[in-house]
Amino acid sequence: MARLSKFPAKAAALNSFYLLTGAGAATILTAHLLNPNYLTTSPVVTPSDLKAVLNGVVRSSRAVRTIASSVVDYKYSLHGLSVDSDEYSRVLSEVHLRSAKRVRNLCEANKGFYVKAAQFAAAMRKIPKEYSLALSPLQDKAVPYLFDEIKDVLISNLGPNLSDIFLSLDEQPIAAASIAQVHRAVLKNKQEVAVKVQYPRLEQQMRFDLATMSFLSKSVSLLFPEYRFQWMISEFTKNIAMELDFNQEAKNSERTARNFKYNNLVKVPYVYWDFTTNQVLTMQFCSGGKVDDLDQLKKMDISPTMVAKALAEVFAEMIFVHGFLHGDPHPGNILVSPEGRNGFSLVLLDHGVYKEFDEKFRQSYCQLWKALIYLDSNKILQFGEQYGVGKYARYFPLIFTGRTIDSKSALGEAMSVDEKKNLRQELKSLKVDDFSSFMESVPSEFLTLLRTDELLKSLVSKLGSSQQIRLLSYAKYALRGLSPKLNPENVSLVKVMLSRIQMSIPYIQLRFVLVILELLSLIKAMKLSVRKNFRGMVISVNYLLVNFLRQIYVFGT
């Protein structure tokens, strides 16, 4: 943890509290009312506008009060403790937990963008574990709006006569999120659809909430210079702007469908443009269970390991080949359908947040992963300079593959006891300021990649699969992403097949290297067990043979 500044006395802490609570709401309200578009877009203040302003002030004040309470808690609780002491670490963890619970209560009270922000932060997994654990339950927590309010949005977007469009429209939503909810319906042509409807008055609410978050982030940075989260607010603001534009979401959906046109494992709902606007998205209804619902997978007789492999490969292809990445792969946005040539298919939903990589970044990221796979430390450090993170590049292998830059462990294997011990010692020298500097330095593309990778890690774990599945998928598609792209529609089938064989050679070589590394690691483990007892040797030999045969079998997959 970072070394915090020497804490001021009680009066100064109280001053911080009053500064935040007193000035906070006024600053945010002024920022809203002095918005250059406010007077031109709203020359007459309606009761709805006034209600939105008052609601914004209440929400903002609640947020300011919560963060101010946590600031005081940190300053009082840690005052006088030595940063290097065990007592400091213990108390810090306790304060983290109290503060995380306050933030969770705030998000549950304010709902909307606050829940979305909590989901965003928790998925990054780059915040203290106390916060991650406290905020993670908010991923599936959203209270739907009453249908009367949803109906008003539908009428304002699709016209007054909804019966001219829908044969039926269920008033009870089938899904509710932080900015929209989804209703099942049947169109006049008898097509079953899912209608995603944005909650009313979100743009006004967004101005207040984002102004509040930015104000609080800057205030915390002034009081605790090591803790800088403006990078997270900036990225969250970009994501929210994308998510509020349902027309753009529909375009993203169609582009993803085109990218996976020849992949029978992926299904993307068809968009009905005649009934789609900036606030309403009408798409094909697709059934299926949540990707991490093991009971449902068992009922459908679908292997969780095969689902994990398919999931890893689909997102690896997005990252390394398409350069167009779905930025929010949490379980509610991916369904597993029993329909498909291989016994199942993945249904990709919610295409609001995407990150497009330019060709230069896509190619360099493929090269970085090639270096990570082979643990080429010189290359990894070179990419650190290229991405502007300097010395922090030595942690790329740890972040993405779970190995240190000088690790002897095979890809996907746990670090040795000595490696873990050395890593703990090294991490003790890092401060929160180092973390802030790293997150501020990396390209914005990295923030989406980090968040997506963390969500994928979590899903693979929930499916009971080894992280090696994800890492080998990344390896496969990173190498494929470095090969010249071919369009099957413009070249002969023979040329496409030859190209794919050529792309497979480096991957097969990589798999062979990984098998050898794992064999060497297992032989080493076997030698250690022989020293303990003969039974241990037999178990190790059996495991070695079985695992070797398994690796040979999966070479071509």
Side-chain angles (χ1 to χ4, degrees), residues 415-427:
M415 286 185 282
S416 68
V417 174
D418 286 341
E419 285 173 348
K420 288 179 181 178
K421 182 180 177 181
N422 293 335
L423 177 61
R424 277 195 295 269
Q425 283 298 116
E426 184 177 346
L427 292 179

Side-chain angles (χ1 to χ4, degrees), residues 369-419:
W369 262 89
K370 186 176 179 181
L372 289 170
I373 292 158
Y374 289 107
L375 216 52
D376 186 337
S377 56
N378 289 330
K379 278 278 187 187
I380 291 169
L381 294 175
Q382 285 175 23
F383 280 109
E385 293 298 325
Q386 182 180 322
Y387 293 136
V389 299
K391 63 180 182 180
Y392 302 115
R394 66 178 286 101
Y395 298 107
F396 279 164
L398 183 64
I399 292 169
F400 290 112
T401 69
R403 299 185 293 175
T404 58
I405 197 166
D406 51 2
S407 176
K408 305 302 179 187
S409 302
L411 187 68
E413 226 183 52
M415 286 185 282
S416 68
V417 174
D418 286 341
E419 285 173 348

Side-chain angles (χ1 to χ4, degrees), residues 286-429:
C286 295
S287 59
K290 286 173 65 174
V291 69
D292 64 343
D293 189 338
L294 295 176
D295 290 336
Q296 186 65 20
L297 290 178
K298 187 176 180 180
K299 286 178 185 176
M300 295 189 289
D301 196 25
I302 297 172
S303 164
T305 301
M306 293 300 293
V307 171
K309 184 174 184 293
L311 189 65
E313 293 210 343
V314 165
F315 278 86
E317 186 172 342
M318 284 186 184
I319 293 167
F320 299 106
V321 180
H322 304 159
F324 189 62
L325 174 63
H326 189 307
D328 195 17
H330 70 74
N333 289 342
I334 305 169
L335 303 180
V336 179
S337 168
E339 300 172 359
R341 202 171 73 183
N342 297 316
F344 73 93
S345 59
L346 299 177
V347 183
L348 302 183
L349 306 173
D350 200 344
H351 301 269
V353 178
Y354 268 77
K355 177 66 76 172
E356 182 172 8
F357 310 134
D358 62 40
E359 188 60 14
K360 182 180 178 181
F361 180 86
R362 188 190 67 79
Q363 287 274 339
S364 72
Y365 194 65
C366 289
Q367 292 284 5
L368 171 62
W369 262 89
K370 186 176 179 181
L372 289 170
I373 292 158
Y374 289 107
L375 216 52
D376 186 337
S377 56
N378 289 330
K379 278 278 187 187
I380 291 169
L381 294 175
Q382 285 175 23
F383 280 109
E385 293 298 325
Q386 182 180 322
Y387 293 136
V389 299
K391 63 180 182 180
Y392 302 115
R394 66 178 286 101
Y395 298 107
F396 279 164
L398 183 64
I399 292 169
F400 290 112
T401 69
R403 299 185 293 175
T404 58
I405 197 166
D406 51 2
S407 176
K408 305 302 179 187
S409 302
L411 187 68
E413 226 183 52
M415 286 185 282
S416 68
V417 174
D418 286 341
E419 285 173 348
K420 288 179 181 178
K421 182 180 177 181
N422 293 335
L423 177 61
R424 277 195 295 269
Q425 283 298 116
E426 184 177 346
L427 292 179
K428 279 183 180 179
S429 66

